Amino acid sequence: MRIFVVILSVFLFMSCEVASSKITSPDENIEVNFFLSQEGEFYYTINYKTKAIIDTSFVGFDLKDAPALRKGFIARVKKPVEVDERWEMPWGEQQSVRNYYKEVRVELEERDDLKRKMNLVFRVYNDGVGFRYEFPEQQNLKEVYIKEEHTEFNLTEDYKTFWIPGDWDIYEHLYSTTKLSEIDAKSYIAHTNLAQTYIPDNAVNTPVTLVGKDGTHLSFHEAALIDYSGMTLKVDTENLSFKSQLVGSRNTDYKVKRTTPFHTPWRTIQITDNAPALIESKLIVNLNEPNKLGDVSWFKPMKYTGVWWEMHLGKSSWDYGMELVDGKWKDTGKAHGKHGATTENVKRFIDFSAKNNIGGVLVEGWNTGWERWIGFEDREGVFDFVTSYPDYDLDEVTSYAKEKGVEIIMHHETSAATETYEKQQDTAYALMQKYGMHAVKSGYVGKILPKGEYHHGQYMVNHYNNAAIKAAKYQVAVNAHEPIKATGLRRTYPNIISREGLRGQEFNAWSGDGGNPPEHLPIVAFTRMLAGPIDFTPGIFNIKFDEYRKDNQVNTTLAQQLALYVVIYSPVQMAADLVEHYEANPKALQFIKDVGVDWSETRVLNGAVGDYVTIARKEKGTDNWFLGSITDENSRSFELSLNFLDPNSTYEAIIYKDGTDAHWDKNPLSLAIEKVQVTKNDSMNINLAQGGGVAVSFVKQ
Ligand code: NOJ
Ligand code: CA
């Protein structure tokens, strides 16, 4: 281990009141210390309740056509400030969020020659730390070409780590659970169905969650990813450390291009004593700027059904059977008759939604271009986002939906042909506005065009962000699939409502690797979900769907599918199964009909990463509470206190639980429904089957 001499004399303190090279969280449990080495390198450490969490960790940047920014610094420390404010989520896991932190700015300047400047800003919360780099406007640093960011996170323990590989193109991977010292992303075999994947190094993507022997929980991620590349974390298994590795491009020999002044995204470490507190942490959204869109009441959180699962099951298809003749799509009479997005079929979904308190219907495969979708190299100029197939009448569908009080959700599969999409965005969003459509699901399946770019590099970060900002001008909210990771930007641009960015339900329909195992979502709740809302698309009732795909199934019980409406947060929550599968089980459907989709409060009642989690949420605008609990492949029993319920109130609890013989594989449909009267003084015994769950509606009497 290298020994560093701390030369405090090179810190110049701007204020005589606070002459310190450390900052603590408001509750003083987290302490961040910062130093300069003899060579003028900046490094920091973090302690949590006196335990060293992050040991000597250096920072710096390698630049193109300029010396690295890594050493030779002097430092000035600004007087720390404490902020304690509240802000309101227009929709979310809770209505009001406390943003409570201490902040310090450390101004670094090169001692000699170029005298370039770079600041580090630390915000220390009771539930973790965020820091970012600011590059002020200056003479000797104007255009900045970042070849690599070197932010170190040197850990002090061989943590149990829940990780997906540092893929530059997609997050749709199963989580591995290993010791930090055993992470081996290079040996991870990516799913063969992925239309894009690139894992260049032994690195992990974020959020990555670590559990210590004493129960300390850490999760590393980033906040406010704007005009920069996504960060993966390179793993040093010997020294138990992570180091930032930015996503690059094959078209440039740098990873980020910016002009001063600018700042990087926040590098974040959530630090808690237990797993539930990780989910309750609002660090990531708090580190983002306040709402820049103002009134966004044109979007309403909603459940939705859609022409979707049927394509994944192979019951119908996205494409119609058109042909591309001289660059134009023509109906040459070769329609195969399996097209899913027909006026008639969509009306079925509208009727069903209207009858079941479901606000939206997603229609995939409505527009021309699907004949040249997956597997084609030349995808620019193929999809058209305003022209529907001959058997889909947009006028008729939207006016029928309006009559029934249901909103049609638009679908834009870009096939990662970004230039085609950018060219058409204005007309496509204007079309939506004309029809009163306020939400679009976008998709980016395939290798990015222009060639050489990756889904998670700076080019695409800008594409995703610009699409959302442009959509907002047309009162359109965005739910991107194959997206860039969520980094809390929904605070600034609330129209970024949800996204995929994980192995979603679709893998259960067609993956040849057994689908998502029962432990998948009990890991996702403590990893991916810390980043933000997930469009997972729960609610599959016909778990085995033998009629369509005998070799595939959902690996949970039916009760767990219901519980997911509460466990997974998203302001758009799909009831993903086929209408006929819901109609065959009206008793279970009642829960989907009743369950809220927008919350004033959230309580994470228990949980262990990768094992189980129980969440209670209070519906905004009613006094009803809903509870969801899910487990992995192990059965479990809990006694849950209902003390989250409102005082002096009686509720009718409708409990949808695994039958005594339920099992995710052997008997997934075994469901028992029970009604009891409860108050906050009661407790509830719940038994989860293997791969099972419980969903409860608490209706105030
Ligand atoms: C992949 C998305 O995740 C899925 O939901 C969608 O149906 C297909 N792409 C087609 O866009
Ligand atoms: Ca996907």
Side-chain angles (χ1 to χ4, degrees), residues 659-674:
T660 45
D661 53 353
H663 180 280
W664 64 270
D665 186 27
K666 294 186 202 115
N667 200 4
L669 300 184
S670 172
L671 179 78
I673 302 173
E674 193 190 317

Side-chain angles (χ1 to χ4, degrees), residues 172 481-482 500 506:
E172 295 179 19
H481 279 227
E482 299 76 52
E500 192 187 39
E506 61 188 22

Side-chain angles (χ1 to χ4, degrees), residues 41 67-68 73 178 214 236 295 346 362 389 408 431 439 449-450 481 512 522 551 599 630 653 664 693:
E41 298 153 294
F73 291 119
T178 67
D214 66 352
D236 179 341
D295 178 18
V346 173
L362 166 74
Y389 279 130
I408 298 294
L431 180 88
L449 295 175
H481 279 227
D551 298 336
W599 314 104
I630 63 170
W664 64 270

Side-chain angles (χ1 to χ4, degrees), residues 336-369:
H336 48 55
K338 270 193 90 180
H339 183 222
T342 65
T343 304
E344 201 193 340
N345 193 22
V346 173
K347 282 186 175 175
R348 268 177 75 228
F349 280 92
I350 295 171
D351 290 340
F352 175 78
S353 294
K355 228 193 286 164
N356 291 292
N357 188 32
I358 294 175
V361 175
L362 166 74
V363 186
E364 292 201 5
W366 68 278
N367 60 326
T368 58

Side-chain angles (χ1 to χ4, degrees), residues 149-166:
E149 173 185 325
H150 299 285
T151 301
E152 293 179 354
F153 305 95
N154 287 313
L155 293 150
T156 56
E157 185 183 322
D158 196 3
Y159 286 90
K160 184 175 182 186
T161 307
F162 297 84
W163 58 273
I164 54 169

Side-chain angles (χ1 to χ4, degrees), residues 583-596:
E583 283 173 343
N585 198 342
K587 286 195 176 143
L589 180 62
Q590 188 63 41
F591 182 76
I592 297 184
K593 208 167 161 177
D594 295 340
V595 68

Side-chain angles (χ1 to χ4, degrees), residues 13 71 75 195 213 266 544 567 593 657 697:
F13 296 105
K71 59 179 188 209
K213 290 189 190 78
W266 297 94
K544 298 262 182 184
V567 169
K593 208 167 161 177
K657 57 184 182 182
S697 313

Side-chain angles (χ1 to χ4, degrees), residues 170 172 194 312 445 481-482 500-504 506-507 510:
I170 199 143
E172 295 179 19
L194 292 176
H312 288 272
V445 170
H481 279 227
E482 299 76 52
E500 192 187 39
L502 85 168
R503 254 176 80 127
E506 61 188 22
F507 275 77
W510 39 250

